[in-house]
Amino acid sequence: MRAFIFPGQGSQAVGMGKALADASPVARAVFEEVDDSLGRKLFALMSEGPADDLLLTENAQPAIMTNAIATLRVMEQEGGIRLADKADFVAGHSLGEYTALCAAGALGLATTARLLRLRGRAMQAAVPVGKGAMAALLGADLAKAQAIAAAAVAAVLEDTGETLVCTVANDNDPSQVVLSGHRPAIERAIALAKDMDAKRAVLLPVSAPFHCPLMQPAADAMEAALAEADLRAPLIPVYCNVDAVAIADPDQVRAALVRQVTGMVRWRESVLAMAGAGTDRFVEFGGKVLAPMVKRISPDVAATSVVTMDDIGEMLKTL
């Protein structure tokens, strides 16, 4: 069995998609459709930068999605295949869940781009710049990360009397967990991490504390937008981040996407669940972040990244 998977924020880079667009009219059509839907030249920003503008959440989220969908569509149309015939499941990391839904026909491309632009803006606006932060804990599993987060909250409360947020945002793989919350609590977690047996703790260069309760205003905005969106049942089940289970009912999908904004991305559990359901091959489109994570989570499965035209050609030989 096979799962097609799609990356989240952090996989953006200036130049993304350019070689694909130069080589394939199918890819160019995807980039043009998104530009038209957003009323701006997103592909020019992806191709030429500046990097600081591409890094902005409202730009990075639709850009990453568009690049992944362009890669998938080139493979489908030039290879004469259909996702529903070649994949048993789809899944994506954070914003990648929207990409997965678009790939599986639940959301149109233009709708997905507009939803992700709104999601990016709402997440950025939910917390004033500088008030929140995120940190990656390396060499820490979920239980250890939760203990570090709890200790950080307790330490700040004892020192200042304030109850701040510090919680697990992403359970990525057995050796990498991300914390999110108020900056003082995250900084305390970084200070505590080594003494609590984490190998390393790194403050992430992000503009907001994603996937934590501080994102509730963004969740409210997405609930309103998704209620109006044309969202259909996906052609194949999608493993949702917040529950790590396969869903296909549109109402369930909407609810999961809303809860995802403030909830933990359960990527490790999602991969284990797909592997447990019989998936022995994972194919990542438009990035090279998730495939290595998959191998760390489930070493016995095959995991491949498809980014370039050469990658597409090699993948078509095996489908």
Side-chain angles (χ1 to χ4, degrees):
M1 296 177 71
R2 188 182 291 114
F4 286 178
I5 57 176
F6 301 91
Q9 201 155 335
S11 56
Q12 73 277 354
V14 173
M16 64 191 299
K18 189 176 187 308
L20 206 64
D22 289 344
S24 170
V26 173
R28 288 197 296 275
V30 170
F31 295 126
E32 289 166 4
E33 182 177 347
V34 170
D35 278 1
D36 290 345
S37 71
L38 298 180
R40 61 160 304 178
K41 296 184 183 298
L42 180 66
F43 181 60
L45 177 60
M46 294 164 62
S47 302
E48 303 163 12
D52 287 348
D53 287 352
L54 183 59
L55 186 64
L56 293 174
T57 305
E58 68 178 81
N59 295 327
Q61 293 199 22
I64 292 163
M65 178 278 297
T66 305
N67 185 57
I69 290 296
T71 308
L72 174 65
R73 287 199 177 170
V74 170
M75 191 182 78
E76 286 183 308
Q77 295 188 33
E78 298 194 359
I81 63 170
R82 294 175 64 249
L83 174 143
D85 296 332
K86 299 298 181 180
D88 301 282
F89 305 114
V90 290
H93 190 283
S94 189
L95 79 90
E97 192 165 311
Y98 285 79
T99 316
L101 289 162
C102 180
L107 288 169
L109 177 60
T111 298
T112 308
R114 288 192 290 266
L115 283 171
L116 284 174
R117 178 175 62 180
L118 172 64
R119 183 177 182 268
R121 287 176 174 173
M123 292 172 87
Q124 182 61 66
V127 179
V129 174
K131 296 292 186 182
M134 299 181 76
L137 302 180
L138 307 179
D141 61 11
L142 177 60
K144 188 176 293 183
Q146 289 172 328
I148 292 169
V153 170
V156 172
L157 177 62
E158 183 178 349
D159 288 350
T160 68
E162 289 186 283
T163 300
L164 301 185
V165 171
C166 180
T167 190
V168 173
N170 304 340
D171 179 15
N172 286 334
D173 65 43
S175 64
Q176 185 192 112
V177 181
V178 176
L179 302 182
S180 183
H182 287 105
R183 178 172 286 271
I186 295 297
E187 290 174 344
R188 183 60 64 92
I190 292 172
L192 290 170
K194 194 163 187 181
D195 289 340
M196 295 184 68
D197 297 324
K199 185 179 295 184
R200 191 176 169 212
V202 182
L203 193 68
L204 296 178
V206 296
S207 54
F210 306 132
H211 298 293
C212 80
L214 299 178
M215 288 287 108
Q216 188 57 49
D220 295 340
M222 292 312 298
E223 183 174 22
L226 286 161
E228 301 295 325
D230 180 15
L231 194 157
R232 303 169 294 280
L235 297 172
I236 59 175
V238 55
Y239 270 79
C240 70
N241 286 182
V242 290
D243 297 316
V245 297
I247 57 176
D249 176 77
D251 289 337
Q252 286 184 302
V253 171
R254 282 189 174 89
L257 290 174
V258 173
R259 289 187 293 120
Q260 186 216 65
V261 178
T262 57
M264 178 172 67
V265 175
R266 296 168 62 181
W267 185 250
R268 178 184 59 85
E269 292 176 82
S270 296
V271 171
L272 288 174
M274 285 183 276
T279 305
D280 57 5
R281 190 173 183 198
F282 291 78
V283 183
E284 177 185 6
F285 287 89
K288 296 184 177 182
V289 175
L290 298 183
M293 283 186 192
V294 167
K295 291 295 291 181
R296 290 193 291 271
I297 296 165
S298 187
D300 293 336
V301 304
T304 308
S305 295
V306 177
V307 177
T308 67
M309 290 296 293
D310 286 345
D311 294 338
I312 290 169
E314 289 302 311
M315 180 55 57
L316 285 170
K317 295 175 185 177
T318 68
L319 292 177

